[in-house]
Amino acid sequence: MSHNDGFRSLDRQECLRLLAKVPVGRIVYTRRALPAVLPVNFGLDTDSSVLVRTSATSDLVRAVDGVVVAFEADDFNTAERSGWSVVVTGRATAVTDPAEHERLSRTGPLSWVVTQDWIFLRIEAEMVTGREITGPPGTD
């Protein structure tokens, strides 16, 4: 008999599949030596990295370019007490290569905020973890 604690770990491929289903996540980073969280719309690149289109002059770019950040996205059904959460941890970098920028301009996510000076931030998927809430504890 197995004990169901209501959680199930998700493997990398399952995490990436779930991330591709939702349009919004949160970047977790450090601002002025304190934790900060910013909701953003995003997309996944072909190498599984997280892509965010944002203003080149934003505080976010200055804070995260070249440092390790976490990115979290989730989806929950409160009526059924179920859902999932995925965290991607890796180095964030501003995309500066012109050819890469052009490719992402065609295939990458669109920003929900209108800006003229946009760039892409890439978060490498160095560590991808996730958990699924499978229902009330103790049910099989």
Side-chain angles (χ1 to χ4, degrees):
M1 176 191 270
S2 67
H3 173 71
N4 178 3
D5 65 1
F7 293 100
R8 181 176 71 88
S9 292
L10 303 173
D11 66 27
R12 181 183 177 93
Q13 286 308 109
E14 202 167 10
C15 287
L16 295 172
R17 181 184 61 76
L18 290 168
L19 279 179
K21 292 177 151 187
V22 295
V24 176
R26 288 155 289 285
I27 296 178
V28 182
Y29 63 104
T30 302
R31 182 177 58 210
R32 297 186 192 149
L34 297 171
V37 179
L38 182 67
V40 295
N41 68 294
F42 74 101
L44 294 178
D45 202 0
T46 55
D47 66 353
S48 302
S49 59
V50 174
L51 295 171
V52 175
R53 182 183 258 179
T54 189
S55 169
T57 59
S58 70
D59 290 339
L60 177 65
V61 172
R62 285 190 295 279
V64 305
D65 189 19
V67 300
V68 174
V69 300
F71 178 84
E72 189 272 343
D74 52 49
D75 189 29
F76 293 97
N77 181 326
T78 56
E80 294 182 10
R81 296 169 57 187
S82 64
W84 57 267
S85 176
V86 170
V87 176
V88 174
T89 306
R91 187 165 307 278
T93 55
V95 175
T96 57
D97 177 69
E100 184 70 354
H101 190 273
E102 177 61 30
R103 180 184 73 82
L104 294 176
S105 296
R106 292 188 312 274
T107 63
L110 296 175
S111 178
W112 290 5
V113 177
V114 178
T115 181
Q116 299 298 320
D117 65 340
W118 55 268
I119 63 165
F120 288 97
L121 281 176
R122 173 185 305 280
I123 301 170
E124 300 295 332
E126 296 171 23
M127 184 170 46
V128 180
T129 59
R131 291 189 349 162
E132 178 183 35
I133 300 170
T134 56
T139 60
D140 289 325

